[in-house]
Amino acid sequence: MTDLALAVENPSVAARAKELRDEQRFARHQRVDRMFSVLLVVQYVAGILGAWAVSPFAWQGKERVLHMHVWVAVLAGAGITLLPVLMAWLKPGALLTRHVIAASQMLSSALLIHLTGGRIETHFHVFGSLAFLAFYLDWRVILTATVVVAGDHFARGIFWPESVYGVTNPEWWRFLEHAGWVVFEDIFLIYACIFTNRELDAAAVRQAQVEHLSEQEQLKSAALEMALAEIRVASA
Amino acid sequence: MKRTTIITIVITLAALIWGGTVAAAYRAIRRFETTPGYAAIAPAEWPAASTIRRAAGEWSLVMLVHPKCSCSRASVSELQAILDKAPQRLRTHVLVFRPNDVPAGWERTDVVESASRLRRASVMIDQNGAEADHFGGFTSGQTFLYDDRGQLRFAGGITSLRGHAGLNRGRADIIEIVSSRNGTGTHPVFGCAITTPAERKHP
């Protein structure tokens, strides 16, 4: 974030620029929170439908029971989705809300990856989600998402390595290879967030300066009107 | 009660559910994916009672498949990976389980369809699991490798987890054994049960 007080000499203009910037950011954060709340619900429903379509039942001979994937999609999906959706509607725009959303979105990715049997194509959900999280223009949110993804891979790599790497004894650093591709995307997204914020800050400063100039002009006009009125009174 | 207090309570409860769900889901999924099916009690020599003819001088690969087992899609996919790398002489059979008293077409599923698309493999119906019985297998995805003298070289699964395609010990072992014509191997099998040891003992 550019220091607006340094960018603008006039403290009142700087204060107004900061106010405009914070309003815009808050409105953006609220809007993206609500977009994510819809997305999370859509993902939840899609996860259940996907699990039902791909593996509805587990079998023993000719007997069948509801497949574990369906239970996981319904119950784990609900648990993951509930908190961020509630926060998006009860605490929209709050810092904690978007971090919870980022973590939940990554957990949804992990769930979808699991439900599709670890399909490599489903891993693209992680990258798409990171790009969507960049809509917040808050690079810290991208870091939270990355930590959740890396943490998931690290924990599974330690306790459950076959689920990530397909082998039982991967090197301890293998999670870094996977997380590395996420970091690769992060670099560009974080740069985009910082760069766009600077542009928005500059726009806020320009708007504050325009407002300030407009106020100055109005004051000048008012003073002029007053002076003219005094002259008219004196000449009469 | 103030609105902010209610919101805090609701969010705290949701956060507890969120944390609990994540922990419980990891535990449940891990247990589900890593728990293997019943391992085969495979005969050391090609079962004489089998109706599948073993070609003299050729190695044979047999896989049991439950047609409704979604996890077996991964096993079929891994079988293709083995066939792509194994020498041409490997004769491969996919035995599709079909119970006696089920409607016609019961066994026609995408799993069987993908098995029928395997290159260099024949798919046949295993009526009521008779062949699975001869080979001592219980679980969909169970794979047996017999050498050119009819000796068992490998019995196990060819996926790393339940429903997970990709690099795994079972696949690597079979390719290694067939290519080097040496060694034996085994690997846990992950899939739906065709039958259980108890059912087989007391049908």
Side-chain angles (χ1 to χ4, degrees):
Chain A
M1 174 64 207
T2 317
D3 189 340
L4 294 175
L6 290 176
V8 185
E9 285 180 8
N10 188 325
S12 66
V13 173
R16 175 60 183 151
K18 185 175 180 305
E19 189 185 347
L20 285 168
R21 179 198 67 186
D22 291 347
E23 275 174 16
Q24 285 171 354
R25 284 192 178 180
F26 189 65
R28 170 182 282 272
H29 292 155
Q30 284 185 316
R31 199 167 56 244
V32 181
D33 283 346
R34 291 195 169 125
M35 284 163 68
F36 263 109
S37 71
V38 174
L39 177 67
L40 282 157
V41 171
V42 169
Q43 285 173 172
Y44 174 53
V45 174
I48 295 170
L49 294 176
W52 182 256
V54 175
S55 46
F57 301 107
W59 290 77
Q60 182 174 313
K62 57 183 179 178
E63 305 299 323
R64 66 185 192 185
V65 291
L66 202 59
H67 200 283
M68 174 75 170
H69 282 182
V70 179
W71 286 113
V72 167
V74 172
L75 298 177
I80 290 169
T81 307
L82 181 66
L83 178 65
V85 169
L86 276 175
M87 290 190 75
W89 289 95
L90 297 175
K91 291 270 186 190
L95 176 66
L96 185 60
T97 300
R98 55 185 178 273
H99 282 286
V100 167
I101 284 174
S104 302
Q105 182 64 15
M106 290 298 117
L107 290 172
S108 296
S109 293
L111 182 61
L112 290 173
I113 289 168
H114 165 73
L115 293 177
T116 55
R119 279 176 70 87
I120 198 75
E121 290 83 353
T122 319
H123 286 72
F124 290 121
H125 189 270
V126 172
F127 297 99
S129 297
L130 284 169
F132 194 7
L133 286 168
F135 280 26
Y136 279 116
L137 295 181
D138 182 350
W139 58 269
R140 295 166 300 179
V141 169
I142 294 169
L143 285 192
T144 297
T146 303
V147 167
V148 172
V149 169
D152 169 65
H153 274 63
F154 179 70
R156 283 199 287 153
I158 296 281
F159 301 111
W160 189 9
E162 309 93 317
S163 70
V164 192
Y165 311 110
V167 291
T168 47
N169 298 307
E171 300 84 352
W172 69 267
W173 47 262
R174 279 287 289 276
F175 81 101
L176 290 175
E177 185 184 339
H178 286 227
W181 289 107
V182 173
V183 171
F184 176 74
E185 183 180 0
D186 284 356
I187 291 168
F188 299 101
L189 293 177
I190 289 171
Y191 174 76
C193 286
I194 293 170
F195 185 76
T196 310
N197 272 326
R198 280 185 187 156
E199 286 188 332
L200 291 174
D201 285 356
V205 168
R206 279 196 299 274
Q207 190 177 336
Q209 283 171 333
V210 167
E211 285 178 8
H212 179 68
L213 286 173
S214 174
E215 278 171 20
Q216 294 296 310
E217 286 303 313
Q218 282 172 6
L219 286 173
K220 274 184 197 169
S221 299
L224 195 60
E225 283 292 325
M226 200 178 288
L228 283 170
E230 281 173 7
I231 290 168
R232 273 191 226 109
V233 169
S235 58
Chain B
M1 203 182 285
K2 280 184 184 173
R3 186 172 182 270
T4 49
T5 313
I6 295 169
I7 288 174
T8 308
I9 291 170
V10 168
I11 288 176
T12 306
L13 283 175
L16 289 173
I17 293 170
W18 188 80
T21 300
V22 172
Y26 265 83
R27 192 156 180 261
I29 292 169
R30 185 180 179 207
R31 180 180 286 185
F32 174 77
E33 286 196 343
T34 58
T35 304
Y38 296 106
I41 306 165
E45 288 189 8
W46 184 270
S50 173
T51 56
I52 304 168
R53 217 172 43 159
R54 189 178 66 81
E58 286 190 9
W59 288 52
S60 302
L61 194 59
V62 176
M63 178 190 269
L64 308 179
V65 166
H66 190 304
K68 307 275 191 186
C69 176
S70 56
C71 313
S72 295
R73 290 188 190 109
S75 297
V76 171
S77 157
E78 288 306 298
L79 184 58
Q80 183 60 65
I82 290 171
L83 295 178
D84 287 344
K85 294 216 169 172
Q88 293 290 333
R89 289 185 298 277
L90 189 60
R91 183 166 288 205
T92 305
H93 309 274
V94 178
L95 307 180
V96 178
F97 170 66
R98 187 181 193 287
N100 276 341
D101 47 354
V102 290
W106 181 88
E107 73 283 3
R108 276 186 225 132
T109 63
D110 65 309
V111 177
V112 175
E113 198 178 302
S114 59
S116 64
R117 283 199 301 268
L118 288 169
R119 292 180 293 277
R120 299 192 286 128
S122 62
V123 177
M124 54 192 82
I125 298 295
D126 180 15
Q127 195 62 41
N128 215 32
E131 288 295 339
D133 192 5
H134 297 325
F135 282 94
F138 302 99
T139 306
S140 184
Q142 176 76 50
T143 305
F144 307 94
L145 175 67
Y146 284 89
D147 66 16
D148 50 358
R149 291 175 294 113
Q151 300 295 308
L152 181 69
R153 292 300 194 104
F154 178 93
I158 53 172
T159 60
S160 58
L161 291 170
R162 193 158 177 161
H164 273 251
L167 180 65
N168 68 88
R169 192 72 261 157
R171 183 224 287 188
D173 275 359
I174 291 179
I175 293 170
E176 172 62 26
I177 294 166
V178 171
S179 303
S180 67
R181 308 177 80 79
N182 189 26
T184 58
T186 185
H187 187 66
V189 59
F190 298 95
C192 298
I194 291 170
T195 184
T196 64
E199 277 179 354
R200 184 160 289 160
K201 214 175 264 181
H202 307 288

Short mmCIF file of all heavy atoms in Angstrom, two decimals, chain A residues 173-194:
data_model
loop_
_atom_site.label_atom_id
_atom_site.label_comp_id
_atom_site.label_asym_id
_atom_site.label_seq_id
_atom_site.Cartn_x
_atom_site.Cartn_y
_atom_site.Cartn_z
N TRP A 173 10.92 -33.67 1.09
CA TRP A 173 10.76 -32.35 0.46
C TRP A 173 9.81 -32.38 -0.73
O TRP A 173 9.61 -31.36 -1.39
CB TRP A 173 12.13 -31.84 0.01
CG TRP A 173 12.95 -32.86 -0.74
CD1 TRP A 173 13.94 -33.65 -0.24
CD2 TRP A 173 12.83 -33.23 -2.12
NE1 TRP A 173 14.46 -34.48 -1.21
CE2 TRP A 173 13.78 -34.24 -2.38
CE3 TRP A 173 12.01 -32.81 -3.17
CZ2 TRP A 173 13.93 -34.84 -3.63
CZ3 TRP A 173 12.14 -33.40 -4.42
CH2 TRP A 173 13.11 -34.41 -4.63
N ARG A 174 9.18 -33.55 -0.98
CA ARG A 174 8.34 -33.64 -2.18
C ARG A 174 7.19 -32.64 -2.18
O ARG A 174 6.74 -32.18 -3.23
CB ARG A 174 7.79 -35.06 -2.34
CG ARG A 174 8.76 -36.03 -2.95
CD ARG A 174 8.97 -35.81 -4.44
NE ARG A 174 7.82 -36.19 -5.22
CZ ARG A 174 7.56 -37.43 -5.62
NH1 ARG A 174 8.40 -38.39 -5.32
NH2 ARG A 174 6.49 -37.71 -6.33
N PHE A 175 6.69 -32.30 -0.96
CA PHE A 175 5.58 -31.35 -0.92
C PHE A 175 6.00 -29.98 -1.46
O PHE A 175 5.19 -29.22 -1.99
CB PHE A 175 5.02 -31.22 0.52
CG PHE A 175 5.80 -30.30 1.41
CD1 PHE A 175 5.36 -29.01 1.65
CD2 PHE A 175 6.96 -30.73 2.01
CE1 PHE A 175 6.06 -28.16 2.48
CE2 PHE A 175 7.68 -29.89 2.84
CZ PHE A 175 7.25 -28.61 3.07
N LEU A 176 7.31 -29.70 -1.35
CA LEU A 176 7.80 -28.41 -1.85
C LEU A 176 7.68 -28.34 -3.37
O LEU A 176 7.43 -27.27 -3.94
CB LEU A 176 9.27 -28.22 -1.43
CG LEU A 176 9.51 -27.98 0.05
CD1 LEU A 176 11.00 -27.93 0.35
CD2 LEU A 176 8.84 -26.69 0.51
N GLU A 177 7.86 -29.49 -4.02
CA GLU A 177 7.74 -29.52 -5.48
C GLU A 177 6.32 -29.16 -5.91
O GLU A 177 6.11 -28.37 -6.83
CB GLU A 177 8.12 -30.91 -5.99
CG GLU A 177 8.15 -31.00 -7.50
CD GLU A 177 8.43 -32.42 -7.98
OE1 GLU A 177 8.97 -33.22 -7.21
OE2 GLU A 177 8.06 -32.70 -9.13
N HIS A 178 5.34 -29.76 -5.19
CA HIS A 178 3.95 -29.47 -5.51
C HIS A 178 3.61 -28.02 -5.16
O HIS A 178 3.00 -27.30 -5.95
CB HIS A 178 3.02 -30.43 -4.75
CG HIS A 178 3.02 -31.81 -5.33
ND1 HIS A 178 1.88 -32.52 -5.58
CD2 HIS A 178 4.04 -32.62 -5.72
CE1 HIS A 178 2.19 -33.70 -6.09
NE2 HIS A 178 3.49 -33.78 -6.16
N ALA A 179 4.01 -27.61 -3.95
CA ALA A 179 3.70 -26.24 -3.51
C ALA A 179 4.42 -25.23 -4.39
O ALA A 179 3.96 -24.10 -4.55
CB ALA A 179 4.10 -26.06 -2.05
N GLY A 180 5.54 -25.66 -4.97
CA GLY A 180 6.32 -24.75 -5.81
C GLY A 180 5.51 -24.20 -6.98
O GLY A 180 5.63 -23.03 -7.34
N TRP A 181 4.66 -25.05 -7.55
CA TRP A 181 3.84 -24.59 -8.68
C TRP A 181 2.79 -23.59 -8.22
O TRP A 181 2.41 -22.69 -8.95
CB TRP A 181 3.17 -25.78 -9.38
CG TRP A 181 4.18 -26.59 -10.12
CD1 TRP A 181 4.66 -27.83 -9.78
CD2 TRP A 181 4.88 -26.21 -11.30
NE1 TRP A 181 5.62 -28.23 -10.68
CE2 TRP A 181 5.76 -27.25 -11.62
CE3 TRP A 181 4.86 -25.08 -12.11
CZ2 TRP A 181 6.61 -27.20 -12.73
CZ3 TRP A 181 5.71 -25.02 -13.22
CH2 TRP A 181 6.56 -26.07 -13.52
N VAL A 182 2.33 -23.78 -7.00
CA VAL A 182 1.38 -22.82 -6.43
C VAL A 182 2.10 -21.49 -6.20
O VAL A 182 1.58 -20.42 -6.52
CB VAL A 182 0.76 -23.36 -5.11
CG1 VAL A 182 -0.09 -22.31 -4.44
CG2 VAL A 182 -0.07 -24.61 -5.39
N VAL A 183 3.31 -21.58 -5.66
CA VAL A 183 4.09 -20.36 -5.40
C VAL A 183 4.37 -19.63 -6.72
O VAL A 183 4.34 -18.40 -6.80
CB VAL A 183 5.41 -20.71 -4.67
CG1 VAL A 183 6.33 -19.50 -4.59
CG2 VAL A 183 5.10 -21.23 -3.27
N PHE A 184 4.62 -20.42 -7.77
CA PHE A 184 4.86 -19.84 -9.10
C PHE A 184 3.70 -18.93 -9.50
O PHE A 184 3.89 -17.80 -9.95
CB PHE A 184 5.03 -20.98 -10.10
CG PHE A 184 5.20 -20.54 -11.52
CD1 PHE A 184 6.40 -19.98 -11.95
CD2 PHE A 184 4.16 -20.66 -12.44
CE1 PHE A 184 6.56 -19.57 -13.27
CE2 PHE A 184 4.31 -20.25 -13.75
CZ PHE A 184 5.52 -19.70 -14.17
N GLU A 185 2.47 -19.44 -9.30
CA GLU A 185 1.29 -18.62 -9.63
C GLU A 185 1.17 -17.45 -8.64
O GLU A 185 0.83 -16.33 -9.03
CB GLU A 185 0.02 -19.46 -9.59
CG GLU A 185 -1.22 -18.64 -10.00
CD GLU A 185 -2.52 -19.43 -9.98
OE1 GLU A 185 -2.49 -20.62 -9.65
OE2 GLU A 185 -3.55 -18.82 -10.29
N ASP A 186 1.45 -17.73 -7.37
CA ASP A 186 1.34 -16.70 -6.33
C ASP A 186 2.16 -15.46 -6.67
O ASP A 186 1.72 -14.33 -6.44
CB ASP A 186 1.85 -17.23 -4.98
CG ASP A 186 0.86 -18.18 -4.33
OD1 ASP A 186 -0.25 -18.34 -4.88
OD2 ASP A 186 1.20 -18.73 -3.27
N ILE A 187 3.36 -15.69 -7.18
CA ILE A 187 4.26 -14.55 -7.46
C ILE A 187 3.55 -13.55 -8.37
O ILE A 187 3.56 -12.34 -8.09
CB ILE A 187 5.57 -15.06 -8.11
CG1 ILE A 187 6.39 -15.84 -7.08
CG2 ILE A 187 6.39 -13.91 -8.69
CD1 ILE A 187 7.53 -16.63 -7.66
N PHE A 188 2.91 -14.06 -9.41
CA PHE A 188 2.25 -13.15 -10.37
C PHE A 188 0.99 -12.54 -9.78
O PHE A 188 0.69 -11.37 -10.00
CB PHE A 188 1.94 -13.91 -11.66
CG PHE A 188 3.19 -14.43 -12.31
CD1 PHE A 188 3.57 -15.75 -12.18
CD2 PHE A 188 4.03 -13.57 -13.01
CE1 PHE A 188 4.74 -16.22 -12.75
CE2 PHE A 188 5.20 -14.02 -13.59
CZ PHE A 188 5.55 -15.35 -13.45
N LEU A 189 0.26 -13.35 -9.01
CA LEU A 189 -0.98 -12.83 -8.41
C LEU A 189 -0.67 -11.76 -7.36
O LEU A 189 -1.34 -10.73 -7.31
CB LEU A 189 -1.79 -13.96 -7.79
CG LEU A 189 -2.38 -14.99 -8.76
CD1 LEU A 189 -3.10 -16.08 -7.99
CD2 LEU A 189 -3.33 -14.32 -9.74
N ILE A 190 0.35 -12.02 -6.55
CA ILE A 190 0.71 -11.05 -5.51
C ILE A 190 1.21 -9.75 -6.16
O ILE A 190 0.84 -8.65 -5.75
CB ILE A 190 1.76 -11.65 -4.54
CG1 ILE A 190 1.09 -12.73 -3.68
CG2 ILE A 190 2.38 -10.57 -3.67
CD1 ILE A 190 2.04 -13.54 -2.83
N TYR A 191 2.01 -9.91 -7.21
CA TYR A 191 2.48 -8.72 -7.93
C TYR A 191 1.28 -7.95 -8.49
O TYR A 191 1.21 -6.71 -8.38
CB TYR A 191 3.43 -9.14 -9.06
CG TYR A 191 3.85 -7.98 -9.93
CD1 TYR A 191 4.79 -7.06 -9.48
CD2 TYR A 191 3.27 -7.78 -11.17
CE1 TYR A 191 5.16 -5.98 -10.26
CE2 TYR A 191 3.62 -6.70 -11.96
CZ TYR A 191 4.57 -5.80 -11.51
OH TYR A 191 4.92 -4.72 -12.27
N ALA A 192 0.32 -8.70 -9.07
CA ALA A 192 -0.87 -8.05 -9.64
C ALA A 192 -1.66 -7.32 -8.56
O ALA A 192 -2.15 -6.21 -8.78
CB ALA A 192 -1.75 -9.09 -10.33
N CYS A 193 -1.77 -7.93 -7.37
CA CYS A 193 -2.49 -7.29 -6.26
C CYS A 193 -1.82 -5.97 -5.86
O CYS A 193 -2.49 -4.93 -5.74
CB CYS A 193 -2.53 -8.21 -5.03
SG CYS A 193 -3.64 -9.60 -5.20
N ILE A 194 -0.50 -6.03 -5.67
CA ILE A 194 0.23 -4.84 -5.23
C ILE A 194 0.15 -3.73 -6.29
O ILE A 194 -0.13 -2.57 -6.01
CB ILE A 194 1.70 -5.21 -4.91
CG1 ILE A 194 1.73 -6.13 -3.68
CG2 ILE A 194 2.54 -3.96 -4.67
CD1 ILE A 194 3.07 -6.76 -3.40
#
